[in-house]
Amino acid sequence: MAALALLLSVLFTLPVLAQKSAQLGRFLDQVQAADIVPGADHFGALLEIAPIAPALKGEEIIGYAYLTSDIVNTAGYSGKPIHTLVGLDVDGTIIGLKLVEHHEPIVLIGIPQARIDASMMDLIGFNPMQAAKNGEAPPQVDIVSGATVTVLVIGDGVLRSAGRVAHLLNGGTIETAGPTRMVDPQGGAVSNWETLLGNGAVRRLHITVGDVNEAFALSGDPKAMKRPEPGNPDDGFVDLYVALVSHPAIGRTLLGDTGFERLQSQLGTGQAAILIMGDGRYSFKGSGYVRGGIFDRIEVTQGVETIRFRDKQHERIADLATADAPSFKEIALFRIPTGVQFQPAETFSLQLLVQRAIGALDKAFTSFALDYRLPAPYSKAVPPAPKAPAAAKAAPIMDINNPEGATSASIMAEIANFGNGPDAPLWQRIWRSKIASISVLVIMLGVLTGIFFFQDILVKREKLFNRIRLAYLLVTLFWLGWVAHAQLSVVNVLAFANALRTDFQWSYFLIDPLIFILWFSVAAALLFWGRGPFCGWLCPFGALQELTNKAARLLHVPQITVPWGLHERLWPLKYVIFLVLFGVSLTSLGLAEKLAEVEPFKTAIILHFLRDWWFVLFAVALLVAGLFIERFFCRYLCPLGAALAIPGRLRMFDWLKRYRECGNPCMRCAVECPVGAIHPEGHINPNECISCLHCQVLYHHDHKCPVMIQKRLKREKRAAMASPSMKPFSPVDTKGGVAPLNASSQGEKA
């Protein structure tokens, strides 16, 4: 725990551990130039100012190629970068796209990548420069049901990066007159709901059931049309309101003085915030942001910028401060991320994504827009900028790599410094945003450490220990697994080994704090106890197996005892599986990740069984087998358990106590071991032990362990012999008194 505390303190104070290097070069070798820029036959050398490769036809430059993750943050559902190659023609029009690498758990194998590629085709032909010049909104990607967050992140990365690369290739300027209006902090006055609604400071979007059904009918999707929204066409579907609450007069009216001051303390210089209020049967929040940290039903668009919000930029508001405001089912405050090109006084659009189930797992989508423009009382015209000498002209201030914590920097300078300057500390912001989850995990690890260090005290109290273990497994399954999604996988081992051989960067692994802390704790536990603390206590799928088996026993499901000879030949299977996966990963990490589906963790824990039927069938089959053979998957098939068992042999201590009589004649521990880790002769196999401590409960049990039974019987016999009721009674004399025992004896002798 001291080491873990030291680690956490270092993580929040150390500078960035790795330098960012452009990744474009390693992906260009994997594609044909014509696949990214049609007509090109090869790529030229990367530009000096940025990781952008000219695409040439002979000696003529006909376009450019770049990698989205080199330009903008593209972290998706997994928290890891999504790499997409984009091709632009010389005018800045998107003419080619290819998703080249990702670590999205849903898309990795649960959803074919072809569907993701097809969803991006609507972006082909979009020119961000012309769109900005003409005030056009960017196109919407074709949402893929089941991968909403991933598709939104990919589309967002393509659109934002295309605008910035086009900006750069055109000399750092966009052919527009720039913003004409700006926020006037002194404009307007604190008022009430009716005033704000009347002057346009609060804008409304009212959608009826008929509007939704008509939109899906116009989409041309026959499956969506067959499942219309029930109710009268005039019934309300959603009533949506939006306001720019970073303006003092609007913010103080809706949030109150205290709420507005708190908001101001959270905003950076020039940062804006909007308030979204909703009522009706459809939630603008949805639940996607809980799973992936991204709100997948709303987005803000302005020019070429598409802004999506993560849970750390969101704050729930209970009620509005103004007394005449209506009551809303949902009120949410969103802070515009710093580092995006957003002009709060210019017109922006709030896009609402409406989804409709068309099958067990499939959904159809349509969208509605609510345009917002800050009214005149709260804004003013931008004063003409003084003419500057040509040599002193600078590009707009923007940090293209750090959308969450950007500071003032030139776009040209930022792109030119790719690979030379330190990376923006995204991982630190992620750690800070998950303080609550990190705290819960640290508490769990502290409790588990205490259980192991004080196991001799706990295991002597069987009922107390069993209740503690049951509660711990429930927390592991429900919170650590199904809520926090902190399920370790053999894929982590393979990715780490691959990174050591290639471009190892600590920041890649620090991006997911719970997984990183778990691996840190597992590494420390291997030295003390082996793989048992994780496999027996911290693995959500292991907890699921054990809990379902306990339920099966309560229902009197018969348990199958695997003969020792067969068991001894089956448990090495997991080592074979791990070695095969490791060998494949040396040549193709992507293929190894797909083969790692032998682990049902993704299906049962991460995706909550919402996958194609064959994945669900495989996971359920393993759980069913576990009803009859406790922890069936852990015993014979788990490659992660095998990977941890190998270094687990290096543990420094042996905490599990045994008697000389264990195994001969008593074999109770061997019979009751839930994973068959105890040999018939009484020896515990540390490679197979999951440290459930059941054998230690038996070790101290004076009604189950023969050694302890003998000790108990001897103790009871001594206590019985020492009892007053076992002492001989003295004879009674004729007068009713008690004659002294020694006098009577002397009389008998006489």
Side-chain angles (χ1 to χ4, degrees):
M1 288 303 297
L4 183 57
L6 177 62
L7 170 70
L8 293 176
S9 65
V10 169
L11 288 177
F12 287 102
T13 56
L14 279 180
V16 177
L17 300 176
Q19 299 288 323
K20 182 178 179 67
S21 58
Q23 301 289 312
L24 177 62
R26 70 185 181 98
F27 291 111
L28 288 181
D29 296 335
Q30 302 176 14
V31 299
Q32 298 294 323
D35 294 339
I36 306 301
V37 178
D41 49 40
H42 68 285
F43 293 112
L46 300 188
L47 302 183
E48 294 183 0
I49 59 171
I52 302 173
L56 300 96
K57 183 178 182 180
E59 299 299 323
E60 178 188 2
I61 296 178
I62 63 172
Y64 299 90
Y66 68 90
L67 194 68
T68 55
S69 54
D70 283 338
I71 308 300
V72 296
N73 174 30
T74 60
Y77 182 97
S78 65
K80 300 171 184 176
I82 300 174
H83 302 295
T84 306
L85 279 174
V86 180
L88 302 179
D89 65 11
V90 292
D91 295 325
T93 301
I94 299 174
I95 55 176
L97 294 170
K98 186 175 180 62
L99 177 62
V100 290
E101 184 180 284
H102 65 86
H103 296 271
E104 297 298 274
I106 295 177
V107 185
L108 189 61
I109 192 168
I111 295 176
Q113 184 169 321
R115 292 183 60 188
I116 305 299
D117 295 337
S119 71
M120 297 292 110
M121 290 301 101
D122 287 340
L123 303 181
I124 301 294
F126 175 69
N127 188 309
M129 300 290 289
Q130 292 299 321
K133 182 178 181 180
N134 301 329
E136 299 174 356
Q140 295 291 321
V141 296
D142 185 11
I143 300 298
V144 175
S145 179
T148 306
V149 171
T150 298
V151 170
L152 291 177
V153 170
I154 296 174
D156 176 59
V158 170
L159 291 173
R160 295 179 64 219
S161 62
R164 297 183 184 190
V165 170
H167 180 101
L168 174 65
L169 293 175
N170 282 270
T173 60
I174 298 178
E175 297 176 4
T176 63
T180 59
R181 302 168 73 248
M182 61 185 294
V183 173
D184 181 6
Q186 307 303 321
V190 177
S191 55
N192 55 32
W193 175 262
E194 288 298 328
T195 300
L196 297 182
L197 192 62
N199 64 20
V202 173
R203 296 296 304 275
R204 180 192 185 195
L205 173 65
H206 180 67
I207 303 174
T208 66
V209 169
D211 295 332
V212 174
N213 289 335
E214 181 181 359
F216 278 110
L218 293 175
S219 70
D221 188 337
K223 293 183 179 179
M225 289 186 283
K226 289 180 179 179
R227 300 194 178 192
E229 188 71 24
N232 190 291
D234 295 329
D235 290 348
F237 181 74
V238 64
D239 214 10
L240 210 61
Y241 296 81
V242 65
L244 185 77
V245 289
S246 51
H247 188 284
I250 302 173
R252 292 186 186 278
T253 300
L254 297 178
L255 302 177
D257 291 337
T258 302
F260 180 75
E261 294 299 335
R262 183 177 68 252
L263 172 62
Q264 286 295 97
S265 67
Q266 298 170 348
L267 297 178
T269 304
Q271 188 178 5
I274 63 174
L275 190 71
I276 303 177
M277 300 146 280
D279 205 359
R281 66 174 71 177
Y282 189 74
S283 167
F284 69 83
K285 286 186 177 182
S287 59
Y289 77 98
V290 178
R291 299 191 302 270
I294 299 175
F295 288 82
D296 57 5
R297 293 187 178 183
I298 56 171
E299 65 183 18
V300 170
T301 61
Q302 187 181 65
V304 299
E305 283 288 344
T306 299
I307 303 166
R308 292 185 178 87
F309 301 101
R310 294 180 177 268
D311 51 358
K312 57 188 174 183
Q313 295 149 355
H314 159 260
E315 180 181 345
R316 180 182 175 274
I317 303 298
D319 295 296
L320 297 180
T322 177
D324 64 332
S327 177
F328 292 103
K329 183 182 297 184
E330 295 177 321
I331 306 176
L333 177 65
F334 294 98
R335 298 183 295 276
I336 301 294
T338 53
V340 299
Q341 296 175 338
F342 181 74
Q343 302 294 337
E346 299 289 351
T347 301
F348 63 87
S349 180
L350 176 68
Q351 302 284 335
L352 175 68
L353 187 69
V354 177
Q355 60 187 29
R356 171 178 290 178
I358 57 176
L361 298 176
D362 291 334
K363 297 177 181 179
F365 299 88
T366 188
S367 63
F368 295 85
L370 169 59
D371 292 333
Y372 184 93
R373 183 177 177 86
L374 190 64
Y378 309 96
S379 62
K380 59 184 178 180
V382 174
K387 294 183 179 180
K393 187 178 292 183
I397 294 176
M398 181 64 57
D399 180 351
I400 66 171
N401 279 329
N402 190 1
E404 304 298 336
T407 55
S408 297
S410 166
I411 290 180
M412 300 285 284
E414 285 297 324
I415 299 182
N417 286 330
F418 277 169
N420 298 323
D423 187 18
L426 174 63
W427 62 272
Q428 288 188 8
R429 295 193 302 277
I430 293 176
W431 279 66
R432 292 189 179 103
S433 70
K434 294 191 174 182
I435 287 294
S437 297
I438 292 172
S439 300
V440 174
L441 179 56
V442 170
I443 291 173
M444 287 185 66
L445 295 176
V447 171
L448 184 59
T449 302
I451 289 173
F452 277 96
F453 273 109
F454 300 101
Q455 65 185 48
D456 284 344
I457 298 175
L458 287 174
V459 295
K460 292 178 181 179
R461 297 162 174 82
E462 181 182 13
K463 290 185 178 180
L464 174 63
F465 174 78
N466 288 339
R467 289 172 181 171
I468 291 175
R469 177 162 172 78
L470 178 61
Y472 202 98
L473 291 177
L474 288 171
V475 174
T476 295
L477 174 60
F478 286 94
W479 181 81
L480 193 62
W482 284 338
V483 174
H485 293 166
Q487 169 72 68
L488 301 188
S489 167
V490 72
V491 173
N492 304 137
V493 178
L494 303 179
F496 185 79
N498 183 71
L500 290 176
R501 297 186 301 110
T502 54
D503 56 342
F504 179 82
Q505 295 183 24
W506 273 113
S507 56
Y508 182 86
F509 298 95
L510 288 166
I511 203 72
D512 192 330
L514 299 185
I515 296 296
F516 183 83
I517 293 174
L518 270 176
W519 274 114
F520 181 85
S521 65
V522 168
L526 288 175
L527 298 177
F528 283 83
W529 301 285
R531 73 180 180 103
F534 171 75
C535 294
W537 297 79
L538 291 169
C539 177
F541 188 76
L544 177 59
Q545 290 182 94
E546 185 164 333
L547 292 171
T548 51
N549 182 266
K550 287 182 181 295
R553 290 173 183 267
L554 290 176
L555 297 174
H556 304 290
V557 174
Q559 299 297 298
I560 299 175
T561 301
V562 182
W564 175 257
L566 178 60
H567 171 73
E568 197 174 24
R569 287 162 177 78
L570 288 177
W571 63 254
L573 282 177
K574 58 180 174 285
Y575 296 94
V576 175
I577 294 172
F578 169 69
L579 292 176
V580 170
L581 292 175
F582 184 78
V584 172
S585 72
L586 298 178
T587 57
S588 174
L589 180 60
L591 177 59
E593 289 176 335
K594 293 179 180 180
L595 295 177
E597 285 291 335
V598 69
E599 291 179 329
F601 305 160
K602 186 191 303 181
T603 300
I605 303 300
I606 305 300
L607 300 181
H608 303 168
F609 295 97
L610 297 177
R611 299 191 74 182
D612 290 322
W613 65 267
W614 49 87
F615 293 108
V616 176
L617 179 62
F618 176 66
V620 171
L622 293 175
L623 291 174
V624 170
L627 300 179
F628 302 92
I629 302 175
E630 186 172 356
R631 285 187 177 252
F632 174 83
F633 179 77
C634 296
R635 292 192 191 198
Y636 306 125
L637 299 176
C638 182
L640 178 60
L644 297 179
I646 296 173
R649 296 286 295 179
L650 301 176
R651 76 190 194 289
M652 298 182 295
F653 305 100
D654 189 2
W655 300 79
L656 303 180
K657 298 179 179 180
R658 311 297 288 152
Y659 295 114
R660 289 194 304 269
E661 294 83 354
C662 292
N664 184 20
C666 179
M667 298 175 60
R668 180 151 196 164
C669 290
V671 171
E672 294 191 15
C673 178
V675 291
I678 303 179
H679 289 238
E681 67 274 13
H683 168 68
I684 298 177
N685 185 346
N687 287 353
E688 303 304 307
C689 179
I690 62 170
S691 299
C692 66
L693 301 182
H694 181 66
C695 61
Q696 298 306 288
V697 173
L698 296 178
Y699 181 90
H700 294 282
H701 205 298
D702 57 9
H703 284 77
K704 294 182 179 180
C705 175
V707 176
M708 292 300 297
I709 291 173
Q710 291 297 324
K711 292 182 178 180
R712 176 178 60 82
L713 293 176
K714 291 180 180 180
R715 185 171 61 252
E716 291 176 351
K717 184 176 181 180
R718 288 195 299 269
M721 294 299 296
S723 172
S725 62
M726 297 299 293
K727 294 180 180 180
F729 290 100
S730 300
V732 181
D733 63 12
T734 56
K735 297 181 180 180
V738 178
L741 182 60
N742 56 356
S744 174
S745 300
Q746 291 174 358
E748 290 176 359
K749 290 180 179 179

